[in-house]
Amino acid sequence: MESIKTFIQDYLVRLSLPQLKITDIIEIFLLAFLIYSVIKWVKTTRAWSLMKGLVILFAFWVIAYIFKFNVIIWIFVNTINVGIIALIIVFQPEFRKALEQLGQRSIISPMFYLSDTKEKPERFSDETLNELVRATFELAKTKTGALMVIEQEVSLGEFERTGISLDAVLSSQLLINIFEHNTPLHDGAITIRGNRITAATCYLPLSDNMRLSKDLGTRHRAAVGISEVTDSFTIIVSEETGKVSIAKGGQLIRSVDGDYLRAKLLEIQKKVPGEVKKIRLWRGKRKNEKGNN
């Protein structure tokens, strides 16, 4: 307990500030705004999982500092520089994308809208869900290979740029036509956002998971690979067997039927982001208050 008290007292002394000026207040607001904007951008990239990991490491470092774990503190201090360089190398595509967008309207305009009060609809409609299931098993009947990646919270924009932009309303006929043999768009993956197919012939990262079966081809390894680096949901149709598989969170589930696929898609469809949940709860409370009055 004494070490905890000492830790708190030391930091309270360091945090004791002189008299604040107007410029100091403005500076605090600007820094808070910039940090908010960066966090909001990071949430749509692969770096979000890393950020949560860093928060855990920071908490671990605080505990080590409080209880005077000198060896652990020494390891943290001596590896932080190497760690920063490693992060820059691993997330180089994200940093490059951020620098490319700097100054563009796509990154500046959201800064003037701190909260999006517009309630987002479901991820996709019932019609889109039915068309997706229908197309999947029509492709399976003819043993036509297919790879369909459904975007959730983490943006698939980085992978869409490796393919051909479509931005077309999703339908079973269009999906079947895209993956038909000897057509220009049949090779690679398609990406789906909401009710639209955003891109085709996209290249996906292959999984290095050694536990995957050796009889799996590139299509299945790519599906697992994209599920390891994003929170996407991927549907795979095998060209050799005609069986349908799904990949999510680095896990591959093979030989699923129509009911199972539909149930998993319904889970995604009804999954509501946290901000939208708060808006709905707030609106529900307002309605109840009005009703009581």
Side-chain angles (χ1 to χ4, degrees):
M1 289 299 294
E2 288 298 325
S3 57
I4 296 173
K5 287 180 182 178
T6 305
F7 175 79
I8 294 171
Q9 287 172 357
D10 289 345
Y11 273 83
L12 285 176
V13 170
R14 293 181 187 180
L15 290 174
S16 58
L17 299 173
Q19 188 174 4
L20 285 176
K21 301 177 183 177
I22 295 177
T23 53
D24 296 326
I25 296 172
I26 294 172
E27 190 174 13
I28 289 169
F29 274 105
L30 285 174
L31 286 171
F33 181 73
L34 287 172
I35 291 169
Y36 168 83
S37 301
V38 170
I39 292 174
K40 190 176 180 181
W41 172 77
V42 168
K43 280 189 73 174
T44 63
T45 70
R46 293 182 295 165
W48 181 240
S49 298
L50 173 75
M51 289 292 291
K52 290 188 282 188
L54 289 176
V55 170
I56 293 172
L57 283 177
F58 178 75
F60 189 65
W61 175 83
V62 170
I63 293 170
Y65 186 90
I66 291 172
F67 292 101
K68 306 297 182 183
F69 295 152
N70 296 323
V71 176
I72 295 175
I73 294 170
W74 181 87
I75 292 171
F76 268 101
V77 170
N78 286 275
T79 58
I80 189 166
N81 292 332
V82 178
I84 291 171
I85 295 170
L87 290 178
I88 292 172
I89 293 171
V90 172
F91 290 95
Q92 181 264 341
E94 279 78 9
F95 288 125
R96 184 179 63 188
K97 179 184 175 183
L99 290 173
E100 287 174 353
Q101 292 181 342
L102 190 62
Q104 295 179 4
R105 187 177 177 182
S106 59
I107 194 169
I108 293 297
S109 56
M111 292 184 180
F112 296 99
Y113 302 93
L114 291 178
S115 61
D116 185 7
T117 55
K118 227 177 180 182
E119 184 173 338
K120 297 178 183 178
E122 293 174 325
R123 294 193 185 278
F124 43 80
S125 65
D126 292 335
E127 183 181 356
T128 296
L129 188 152
N130 293 330
E131 292 290 303
L132 195 52
V133 174
R134 185 182 299 117
T136 298
F137 287 93
E138 285 294 328
L139 291 166
K141 283 180 186 177
T142 58
K143 292 187 177 181
T144 303
L147 187 56
M148 297 169 274
V149 187
I150 301 172
E151 181 184 271
Q152 295 196 71
E153 294 296 325
V154 178
S155 173
L156 295 174
E158 174 187 343
F159 305 100
E160 290 172 6
R161 288 193 292 273
T162 65
I164 298 172
S165 179
L166 289 183
D167 192 25
V169 175
L170 189 150
S171 67
S172 58
Q173 295 90 340
L174 179 57
L175 287 172
I176 293 168
N177 190 64
I178 287 173
F179 290 110
E180 186 66 35
H181 292 292
N182 302 320
T183 57
L185 301 178
H186 85 281
D187 195 20
I190 66 161
T191 54
I192 299 169
R193 181 181 298 118
N195 297 309
R196 305 184 75 82
I197 302 171
T198 54
T201 70
C202 299
Y203 294 101
L204 305 180
L206 299 181
S207 174
D208 294 326
N209 189 344
M210 301 301 293
R211 290 177 294 177
L212 292 175
S213 175
K214 299 297 182 184
D215 63 344
L216 294 176
T218 305
R219 187 176 285 112
H220 289 80
R221 289 191 175 276
V224 176
I226 189 67
S227 73
E228 289 172 342
V229 298
T230 69
D231 62 347
S232 60
F233 180 90
T234 305
I235 303 171
I236 315 104
V237 180
S238 172
E239 193 171 354
E240 289 76 22
T241 64
K243 292 181 178 179
V244 177
S245 304
I246 60 173
K248 179 167 173 57
Q251 300 295 319
L252 181 69
I253 303 173
R254 305 175 68 180
S255 303
V256 303
D257 58 17
D259 292 335
Y260 188 87
L261 177 60
R262 185 180 297 276
K264 288 297 180 183
L265 289 172
L266 279 170
E267 286 179 13
I268 299 171
Q269 183 193 37
K270 302 302 181 183
K271 187 178 178 183
V272 183
E275 290 182 5
V276 178
K277 279 184 180 178
K278 289 178 184 177
I279 293 169
R280 288 183 178 176
L281 286 171
W282 179 80
R283 288 180 178 174
K285 288 179 182 178
R286 294 281 292 178
K287 285 180 182 178
N288 291 335
E289 289 174 0
K290 287 180 181 178
N292 293 332
N293 293 335

